[in-house]
Amino acid sequence: MSAKVVVVGSANMDMVAFAPKLPAPGETVLGTRFEMACGGKGANQAVACARLGAETWFIGRVGTDAFGDILLQSFQEAGVRTDFVQRDPETPSGVALIFVDETGQNEIVVAPGANGRVSREDIDAASKVWDNAKALLVQFEIPLSTVGYAIGEASRHSAIVVVNPAPAPREPLPEEWFGLVDVWTPNEREIEGLTGIAVTDLESAESAAKALLDKGAKAVVLTLGANGSLLATHDFTRHFPAFQVQAVDATAAGDAFAAALTVKLAEGAPLEEAVIFANAAGALACTKVGAQPSMPTRDEVENFLRSQTLP
Ligand code: RIB
């Protein structure tokens, strides 16, 4: 039977412009093409969890606009349960403006819209969702007070709590979170926001992960883009090199990673096995354009892993 995972977070319609290079401040760059795709860190992670085989429930908000219809349809096509997704009559659906350069790197600005109104009441309205839930996965594109409330509820129901602290928070996180969260999955910029330590190489990555452990984190899985990921706990630290793929768009690679890690942990896998599975899912997400369209299936990840020399 598949493990039950709850994702609380954002859903955005992504407007993606591709260009040879990302614009500098004040610069206009002529692009090559434009695409729209369903996105939002929370929604991407929920779609990925479902494609990776978890029974996935999403809690969040979309508007009553056409984007809201499309975002809901994308959840349903992936098999995500949307019983607790609110349609907000007062605020439009979230939108993300994304630039992608020819190496696949991106820059993103999110206009949160309805995501900014995901509330404690929305979590309370979904109180039944915790029955048999094995894990909660959250990110920071909805109000932090709601994230904290969801963490508390999940912890009270003995679910594993995974926090993808994206985008980097602009305020210090409440100290009590550290005792409740099982695994943190920041990227380089996010861990710098959390610890003040800039990640420039493996040594500084280890220092930043250690600083987060010193704040009370139980386990940190730091994603390092083309350099793979670093797992740090109070007992050991291990670097996992990235799988080599032809990257066309890194958008949502971190979402695929966080989702895959959460699904494996929800199934009872040990952390190191979950990180290898997540590295593969993150790598595969870079090989396709768009956020949700690039979230890999379970078969794709397992076939890919069979074709690789594992660390
Ligand atoms: O992580 C990628 C996502 O960030 C995009 O889908 C965009 O919507 C923003 O939320």
Side-chain angles (χ1 to χ4, degrees), residues 10 12-14 38-41 44 96 98 108 110 141 251-252 255 291:
S10 58
N12 296 327
M13 185 55 69
D14 290 353
C38 291
K41 296 185 193 304
N44 299 341
I98 304 181
I108 304 178
V110 173
E141 283 184 341
T251 306
D255 297 331

Side-chain angles (χ1 to χ4, degrees), residues 119-265:
S119 64
R120 290 170 179 231
E121 289 70 30
D122 295 355
I123 308 293
D124 283 339
S127 59
K128 285 192 173 50
V129 85
W130 305 113
D131 294 347
N132 299 315
K134 297 285 184 254
L136 165 72
L137 175 58
V138 284
Q139 342 64 37
F140 293 171
E141 283 184 341
I142 59 170
L144 282 186
S145 57
T146 309
V147 173
Y149 191 66
I151 290 172
E153 285 298 283
S155 173
R156 207 161 62 77
H157 289 85
S158 306
I160 297 165
V161 177
V162 180
V163 174
N164 174 225
R170 294 165 65 94
E171 57 202 80
L173 297 177
E175 279 181 20
E176 62 270 20
W177 286 23
F178 288 96
L180 303 177
V181 174
D182 293 289
V183 185
W184 297 80
T185 66
N187 68 15
E188 295 110 312
R189 266 165 300 283
E190 290 147 10
I191 205 162
E192 181 178 353
L194 291 168
T195 65
I197 297 175
V199 174
T200 51
D201 52 19
L202 254 180
E203 200 181 326
S204 51
E206 284 188 24
S207 303
K210 182 167 182 317
L212 201 53
L213 293 172
D214 288 345
K215 282 179 181 283
K218 297 177 197 168
V220 178
V221 186
L222 172 55
T223 58
L224 299 165
N227 292 319
S229 55
L230 182 82
L231 166 62
T233 72
H234 291 276
D235 301 321
F236 70 99
T237 300
R238 182 175 165 192
H239 174 238
F240 297 79
F243 293 112
Q244 297 306 309
V245 290
Q246 192 66 45
V248 295
D249 180 5
T251 306
D255 297 331
F257 185 98
L261 186 88
T262 305
V263 169
K264 270 287 180 179
L265 294 177

Side-chain angles (χ1 to χ4, degrees), residues 60-70 72 85-91 93 114:
R61 279 185 185 235
V62 297
T64 51
D65 45 21
F67 287 168
D69 294 342
I70 299 169
L72 277 180
V85 177
Q86 312 269 348
R87 303 251 7 208
D88 193 315
E90 289 170 36
T91 315
S93 298

